[in-house]
Amino acid sequence: MSTTGPTRPAQVSAARRRTVIDALRRGAVPESGLDLLATGLDRFEAALDAELDAVASGGSVFKAVRGEYGSGKTFFTRWLGERAKRRNFAVAEIQISENETPLHKLETVYRRLTERLTTSSFLPSALRPVVDAWFYALEEDALAAGATEDELPHEVEKLLVARLAEVSRHAPSFAAALRGYRAALADGDEATAAAVLAWLGGQPHVAASARRAAGVRGDLDHFGALGFLQGLLTVLRDSGHAGLFVVLDEVETLQRVRSDARDKALNALRQLIDEVHSGRFPGLYLVITGTPAFYGGQQGVQRLAPLAQRLATDFTTDPRFDNPRAVQVRLPGFTQESLVGLGVTIRDLFAAGAETPERIGEVVDDAYVSDLARAVGGVLGGKVGVAPRLFLKKLVGDVLDRVDQFDDFDPRQHYKLTVASSELTDVERNLAASPTTVSSADDIELDV
């Protein structure tokens, strides 16, 4: 990341400040308010905003984010998701995992997407509000075209057929489920309506009676998921949304699954990229995140040559000349200087809501923030790049909170950094267990 601090609004609401500070206190990435913390992301803004605008105009974009553990991939994608949401995109963040969300089962990925769907007005799952808004828009269009109240149901049906004509070529059951949902609501059958909507969201084990009422059969499969995604994009667009921003996070976990499942998942990813580039999904901005080992290793992208070709990006030049318009972008991670800059930003944000902001600035001055950042990096074997989460957790929960609550607390006298193994992630724990860090096999001393 850059060493320069973020540009923050002059006034920050107490609710936004509390959301950010509470998340950092827990050692988590905040769900919102990330613009308050964004450090060094200005180099990406122009290119990414242009891509969001292109998607809002009916285009589609695929982006791969590359970075080591702790380099800020989740922060980056949530920050970008916030920018998308301000443009009236719907947003969904999906964690890829072998057991919960295997990438080679696109029906499961679609189900997680609808479960995690958010808009600027609704928290997950926003599927029902989106569908309801779509039917309301169809009714408004029908009335604007001169339909009477008696003619309205018929005219809405005609518009439904017309708007979903392209989708019905690939997934006719998507339109059928929407009809079933509307019919159940008209009959006052809330249970059936909810069940049909669950089926539309890819949920398995929906009651057979509800499926019969909607005229659909079975559960959503791998191939039907792409058609349903296409249908969801149509519904989002017609209900007033600019598009859909989707993150497939931690795709590098594919390296740890069985070889047959890994090959299927890599091929599914290749298929998704091709479908996005073919124009099948207008209004979709799809992002994946992964480590350099995933993109460059033989257990990851390089295992499937066509996928490697699609993601190939030149990273041999100086990182400051990286192309943010490329299909793959690199997050270089934090340095000691940029970590201190972020800590100072958090301190100032915390102080703005404290009882005695002057005391916060005096006791936790820039020099102390720098010392704490260096100490946390030392605990993690000198790997400053993976220190931000733990550093911010300690800064907020162990230092700033105490300075704010206890008038005589001085962190230089009364606080000593301690790190329990239980509060570390696996990556942090491995680094903390190593008294020194090595950069190659030649650095390891062996007893022979």
Side-chain angles (χ1 to χ4, degrees):
M1 300 286 185
S2 167
T3 58
T4 58
T7 300
R8 295 191 285 110
Q11 297 294 328
V12 180
S13 71
R16 292 188 75 207
R17 184 187 305 112
R18 184 169 55 251
T19 296
V20 171
I21 295 298
D22 285 351
L24 297 178
R25 186 181 288 118
R26 300 191 309 271
V29 175
E31 292 287 344
S32 61
L34 298 182
D35 57 307
L36 304 176
L37 312 181
T39 301
L41 299 183
D42 52 327
R43 61 194 294 254
F44 297 105
E45 286 182 0
L48 297 178
D49 286 349
E51 291 177 348
L52 287 171
D53 291 341
V55 172
S57 299
S60 54
V61 168
F62 173 84
K63 205 79 170 179
V65 178
R66 172 194 190 105
E68 295 286 1
Y69 289 105
S71 63
K73 296 188 294 296
T74 299
F75 181 95
F76 178 86
T77 55
R78 289 185 183 172
W79 168 80
L80 182 54
E82 279 196 351
R83 300 180 77 84
K85 199 174 287 186
R86 286 199 292 270
R87 286 170 164 76
N88 202 27
F89 277 67
V91 174
E93 178 185 317
I94 304 164
Q95 301 291 323
I96 297 300
S97 67
E98 180 180 9
N99 296 323
E100 296 295 324
T101 315
L103 185 55
H104 66 282
K105 294 185 177 181
L106 292 181
E107 67 274 24
T108 304
V109 174
Y110 172 81
R111 181 166 77 247
R112 297 286 180 258
L113 189 161
T114 60
E115 291 171 350
R116 296 290 300 159
L117 188 68
T118 71
T119 67
S120 56
S121 302
F122 296 97
L123 297 174
S125 166
L127 179 61
R128 182 160 190 166
V130 165
V131 171
D132 288 344
W134 184 66
F135 277 116
Y136 178 78
L138 293 186
E139 291 176 355
E140 290 294 300
D141 289 348
L143 291 171
T148 66
E149 289 295 332
D150 292 338
E151 297 170 337
L152 190 58
H154 177 67
E155 292 302 317
V156 168
E157 173 67 18
K158 286 172 59 178
L159 285 175
L160 184 151
V161 172
R163 302 279 173 87
L164 296 177
E166 179 62 24
V167 175
S168 295
R169 291 178 53 229
H170 304 281
S173 55
F174 187 87
L178 286 172
R179 290 192 194 93
Y181 172 72
R182 181 174 172 80
L185 286 181
D187 293 339
D189 188 350
E190 172 61 29
T192 297
V196 172
L197 192 66
W199 188 88
L200 190 71
Q203 296 295 334
H205 315 305
V206 172
S209 59
R211 286 186 273 122
R212 280 196 302 271
V216 297
R217 294 187 299 174
D219 293 329
L220 184 65
D221 61 16
H222 176 91
F223 299 102
L226 295 178
F228 273 41
L229 175 58
Q230 192 176 0
L232 179 59
L233 288 167
T234 300
V235 168
L236 284 166
R237 182 184 65 242
D238 290 348
S239 60
H241 293 279
L244 174 62
F245 178 86
V246 177
V247 179
L248 303 181
D249 202 11
E250 299 184 0
V251 178
E252 70 271 2
T253 57
L254 295 180
Q255 298 172 103
R256 300 193 291 271
V257 305
R258 296 191 324 269
S259 60
D260 58 335
R262 185 188 314 138
D263 291 343
K264 291 177 183 177
L266 292 172
N267 191 59
L269 181 57
R270 191 271 314 157
Q271 182 184 5
L272 273 174
I273 294 173
D274 287 350
E275 295 283 13
V276 170
H277 290 161
S278 73
R280 181 179 177 183
F281 300 125
L284 177 64
Y285 195 122
L286 178 63
V287 180
I288 68 169
T289 71
T291 59
F294 169 72
Y295 292 113
Q298 290 304 315
Q299 299 305 312
V301 167
Q302 301 303 315
R303 188 179 177 93
L304 183 63
L307 178 60
Q309 293 164 7
R310 286 156 176 77
L311 295 179
T313 305
D314 179 18
F315 290 118
T316 60
T317 57
D318 189 311
R320 64 196 177 102
F321 298 122
D322 282 359
N323 178 14
R325 300 173 182 171
V327 67
Q328 188 181 154
V329 294
R330 169 171 56 178
L331 301 181
F334 279 85
T335 63
Q336 174 69 20
E337 188 177 4
S338 59
L339 189 61
V340 172
L342 180 59
V344 169
T345 297
I346 298 304
R347 179 204 61 199
D348 293 345
L349 184 66
F350 185 99
E355 292 291 332
T356 55
E358 298 82 5
R359 171 171 155 75
I360 296 290
E362 291 171 2
V363 177
V364 189
D365 57 13
D366 292 4
Y368 179 79
V369 173
S370 178
D371 290 344
L372 182 62
R374 190 174 297 106
V376 173
V379 169
L380 299 179
K383 292 289 187 179
V384 176
V386 299
R389 186 198 72 85
L390 184 62
F391 165 63
L392 295 178
K393 183 175 185 289
K394 295 295 183 180
L395 176 64
V396 173
D398 290 356
V399 176
L400 293 174
D401 277 342
R402 286 170 169 160
V403 172
D404 189 37
Q405 296 176 81
F406 305 104
D407 293 339
D408 58 344
F409 178 79
D410 183 342
R412 291 191 180 278
Q413 297 181 38
H414 305 126
Y415 175 69
K416 179 181 180 181
L417 177 67
T418 58
V419 178
S421 177
S422 59
E423 63 182 315
L424 300 177
T425 65
D426 290 342
V427 173
E428 293 166 346
R429 192 175 297 112
N430 289 338
L431 291 173
S434 304
T436 58
T437 56
V438 297
S439 57
S440 73
D442 295 333
D443 295 329
I444 302 175
E445 295 184 7
L446 299 177
D447 274 337
V448 292

